[in-house]
Amino acid sequence: VFAIGNPLDTGIAVTQGIISATGRQDFRILGTGGYENFIQTDASINMGNSGGPLVDAHGRMIGINTAIISSTGGNIGIGLAIPSKIVLQIANNLANDGEVNRGFLGVLPEDLDNTLAESFGLESSQGALVARVTDDSPASDVGMKRGDIILRVNDQKIFNAADLRLKVSFFAPGTEVKLLILRDGERFEQPIELGDLDAAIARMNGQSPGRRLGNDDADEMVEPLEGIVLVAMDGKELNEIGVDGFSEGVLIEKVDIDSPFARQLEAGMVILEWNSEPVNGPQAIAQGMTDGINRAYVFQENRYMYVAVRKP
């Protein structure tokens, strides 16, 4: 491939390289919530190349040079370009409608790692795990539930949460798609009409959980998880930090560095369910603990997500 641009304002220039990878979605160049699907190339790209074409050996423009990953500010062989199919779709939206319209599903997805996939009985970590279903959304209207795993949109495989967001965004609002969903070990297809993302931006208010412990809290501190201090929370306290739909839970107040769970659980997390059962206090975790992998549903920094916890 050839990258064309005006690097460092030196004049129009061409550099040559290969495609290093496609489908790069984990650089977070656009911040949380951005739509990323970059072509990675080692063709030299520097400041001034952005907006220039990335061209293949047949003269076809396959992308628009966009950014670099660098610790120095200069090119180190990690250049990123937006694929031409995405550029064309956005250009057509702007030309025809004057704006970019994106489909809206109404779920907050998360990635499946191998351990979490195993806890759901999956042999592969491909798919997007539904950590939360937004109220009054297309997903809630058709009865989708947290814990559902979305495996396909129409005939397209879903590899992770970012891939789901990207593929849904390609559809216009009002489009009906078919989701392949795994729920409680059963697979089924669910037709769903997508909403309009611009008209359905979710607002999540609140602050990160946490509170100072006084003497009155001493009787609430229980340690069913070795090296982890848990504090019971009631519905009012949960509501104050932005949790809705739960009347009880437990806050992870402290995690010792040598705890066998230190790599899975963090201080500040609020555990709302343990192995799909409500957590009405720290002892519920001790009673619900099973050998092997356990599944916790937690709230952290305004996000709901699942965490796989392996009993040592």
Side-chain angles (χ1 to χ4, degrees):
V1 292
F2 302 90
I4 303 174
N6 183 10
L8 301 175
D9 203 25
T10 58
I12 299 299
V14 178
T15 54
Q16 179 182 350
I18 64 168
I19 298 297
S20 307
T22 59
R24 290 301 203 198
Q25 300 173 329
D26 52 359
F27 291 113
R28 296 186 180 272
I29 291 172
L30 303 179
T32 302
Y35 293 91
E36 296 186 354
N37 182 26
F38 294 115
I39 298 169
Q40 181 182 334
T41 179
D42 68 350
S44 185
I45 293 176
N46 286 287
M47 289 183 289
N49 281 100
S50 294
L54 187 68
V55 180
D56 71 8
H58 299 282
R60 298 171 299 194
M61 189 187 76
I62 62 171
I64 297 291
N65 303 322
T66 303
I68 60 174
I69 302 298
S70 173
S71 58
T72 65
N75 178 268
I76 60 171
I78 308 177
L80 303 174
I82 300 174
S84 57
K85 66 178 181 180
I86 296 180
V87 176
L88 184 61
Q89 181 193 32
I90 292 173
N92 286 335
N93 282 160
L94 292 173
N96 296 330
D97 304 321
E99 59 184 359
V100 179
N101 298 309
R102 301 187 186 277
F104 173 68
L105 184 57
V107 300
L108 299 179
E110 68 172 288
D111 294 342
L112 287 161
D113 58 22
N114 290 334
T115 306
L116 196 54
E118 185 181 342
S119 75
F120 281 96
L122 290 171
E123 297 180 356
S124 167
S125 61
Q126 289 186 4
L129 172 62
V130 175
R132 182 131 175 111
V133 177
T134 305
D135 293 337
D136 299 321
S137 68
S140 66
D141 289 344
V142 298
M144 290 186 64
K145 302 177 180 179
R146 68 172 182 271
D148 285 349
I149 298 172
I150 301 174
L151 302 173
R152 287 180 180 268
V153 176
N154 289 342
D155 59 347
Q156 303 177 75
K157 282 186 178 180
I158 298 301
F159 296 99
N160 52 37
D163 190 42
L164 173 66
R165 293 181 62 252
L166 185 69
K167 285 174 177 170
V168 168
S169 74
F170 285 165
F171 293 100
T175 303
E176 182 173 287
V177 299
K178 287 185 178 180
L179 306 180
L180 179 61
I181 296 174
L182 177 70
R183 177 186 296 167
D184 298 329
E186 299 291 332
R187 300 184 182 215
F188 63 95
E189 281 194 343
Q190 175 63 63
I192 185 169
E193 182 177 317
L194 298 177
D196 187 333
L197 180 62
D198 288 338
I201 297 175
R203 295 181 179 179
M204 296 181 65
N205 297 317
Q207 59 187 24
S208 299
R211 61 177 185 168
R212 302 177 70 88
L213 291 178
N215 292 334
D216 293 340
D217 297 302
D219 59 342
E220 297 183 17
M221 297 174 58
V222 184
E223 199 172 301
L225 299 171
E226 182 183 345
I228 293 183
V229 176
L230 302 174
V231 181
M233 299 186 75
D234 58 26
K236 180 180 179 181
E237 292 171 313
L238 292 174
N239 186 257
E240 288 174 352
I241 62 171
V243 177
D244 55 40
F246 289 86
S247 59
E248 294 175 302
V250 294
L251 168 68
I252 299 179
E253 180 68 27
K254 180 182 177 183
V255 179
D256 292 341
I257 193 171
D258 57 351
S259 168
F261 303 100
R263 299 181 67 178
Q264 304 159 67
L265 300 173
E266 300 177 9
M269 284 181 173
V270 176
I271 303 175
L272 301 170
E273 288 184 352
W274 190 266
N275 289 328
S276 301
E277 294 295 331
V279 173
N280 56 13
Q283 290 295 352
I285 295 177
Q287 295 167 1
M289 179 73 73
T290 61
D291 293 334
I293 299 174
N294 295 260
R295 189 168 62 247
Y297 185 63
V298 307
F299 178 84
Q300 183 184 33
E301 297 179 351
N302 290 331
R303 287 185 59 211
Y304 296 87
M305 57 187 174
Y306 284 92
V307 177
V309 182
R310 187 183 295 274
K311 182 178 179 181

